[in-house]
Amino acid sequence: MQATRIARSATRSMRIIALPLTPPSKPINGKAPEHLTYYHFITPPESTNKSSWSKWAIAKASDLWAGLGKAPEGTWKRKAFLYGERLVDRLDFEELALKSLDPSLGPRLSNIVHASGKEKASAPVQIPLVFPPSACTSPLPHLQSLVEKRTPRHKKGFIVWLAVSPLTAPFALIPIIPNFPFFFCVWRSWSHYRAYKASQYLEGFLRQGAIVPQTSAELDVIYAKYAPKPLPAPPAAAASEKSPPPSEHASPPNDSEHAPAGEVAGAQLLLTKDAVPELQRILDLPEDSTFASDVYRALEQARLRLEGGMKV
């Protein structure tokens, strides 16, 4: 299958899988329509011979956090773990997706950016942006808009949380319990930094035109198979009996008057959560991949944003 080849070819190159979550919004002020989209980045596997202190620290922190989750119910360790997981669920899925991208595993921007006077490479680097054409048009404009908004936001978040972290030092005086406020500030700063570097990395390739949209018939099949049932239509007949007939001089009804700008009236998700296991299977992702939990989180946040009337 093509989608399986997408993942397996990642041993040689990087690819981006775009999964639209909501229908496109109405264009505003001439801007291209946007939609909530989850991006999954497939990169070549990390070399086992390559190691660094930062990767060692991340692995150590992950092991310590997993240890808290294995603590008995009712203990402060278990409560801290559950509270931390709830905090993660509240983070924007766009940030979590960006910080999952490790630029060191993808192609180098220097491979396509050359100094004046030097010859360009005969085979330019191209990063496929795979998407289901039935769910949206090319997601390239949306990805461009996303990184333009996220780059300064995550840069500011990185600096602010790093500056706040020393203020939590007095909490270290409390015995027995670790200094959770300090660790949280450091973790938020690190998360923003990862998302900032990933966004900056993608922005460079977008500027060079190296990210190329690529349709996928396999993703189209999944979107058709796991599309939510349409919302029930309002009882128009009953409403027309109770409402007086409109005046011949009255203007026709306009649905856009009753919905916030940019919001799709009656919009609903494009996928159900039942699609996640099959998506993970056809993309041939490893069992320890966070893909499933990340997509579940993105679908839930997209649902809440639609219910809250937020712009999509």
Side-chain angles (χ1 to χ4, degrees), residues 6 11 13 31 35 48 78 90 102 104 110 139 147 153 199 213 246 264 276 291:
I6 290 172
T11 57
S13 62
K31 295 183 179 179
H35 41 78
T48 56
R78 179 65 179 172
R90 296 180 63 181
D102 187 352
S104 67
S110 59
V147 297
R153 178 174 180 175
S199 183
V264 182
V276 176
F291 172 82

Side-chain angles (χ1 to χ4, degrees), residues 89-218:
D89 289 338
R90 296 180 63 181
L91 298 183
D92 291 345
F93 72 85
E94 295 92 343
E95 175 184 341
L96 297 174
L98 284 172
K99 84 179 188 68
S100 69
L101 171 60
D102 187 352
S104 67
L105 300 179
R108 295 185 178 181
L109 189 60
S110 59
N111 292 341
I112 60 175
V113 179
H114 301 268
S116 58
K118 292 186 178 181
E119 296 182 358
K120 292 186 177 180
S122 57
V125 175
Q126 287 190 345
I127 301 176
L129 176 60
V130 185
F131 69 99
S134 64
C136 68
T137 55
S138 170
L140 197 60
H142 176 267
L143 182 61
Q144 177 73 52
S145 174
L146 179 70
V147 297
E148 287 178 354
K149 295 176 182 177
R150 289 277 161 178
T151 300
R153 178 174 180 175
H154 293 306
K155 181 180 180 180
K156 178 181 179 180
F158 160 62
I159 296 174
V160 169
W161 283 104
L162 188 63
V164 170
S165 58
L167 303 179
T168 63
F171 289 97
L173 300 177
I174 302 176
I176 303 176
I177 301 178
N179 188 354
F180 283 118
F182 172 77
F183 291 125
F184 177 77
C185 291
V186 172
W187 174 71
R188 288 299 291 128
S189 179
W190 170 80
S191 178
H192 276 294
Y193 175 77
R194 286 286 299 261
Y196 164 62
K197 297 303 290 184
S199 183
Q200 197 177 42
Y201 175 77
L202 293 172
E203 199 170 18
F205 281 100
L206 286 167
R207 193 178 300 114
Q208 297 298 323
I211 298 181
V212 182
Q214 177 180 313
T215 60
S216 170
E218 283 72 19

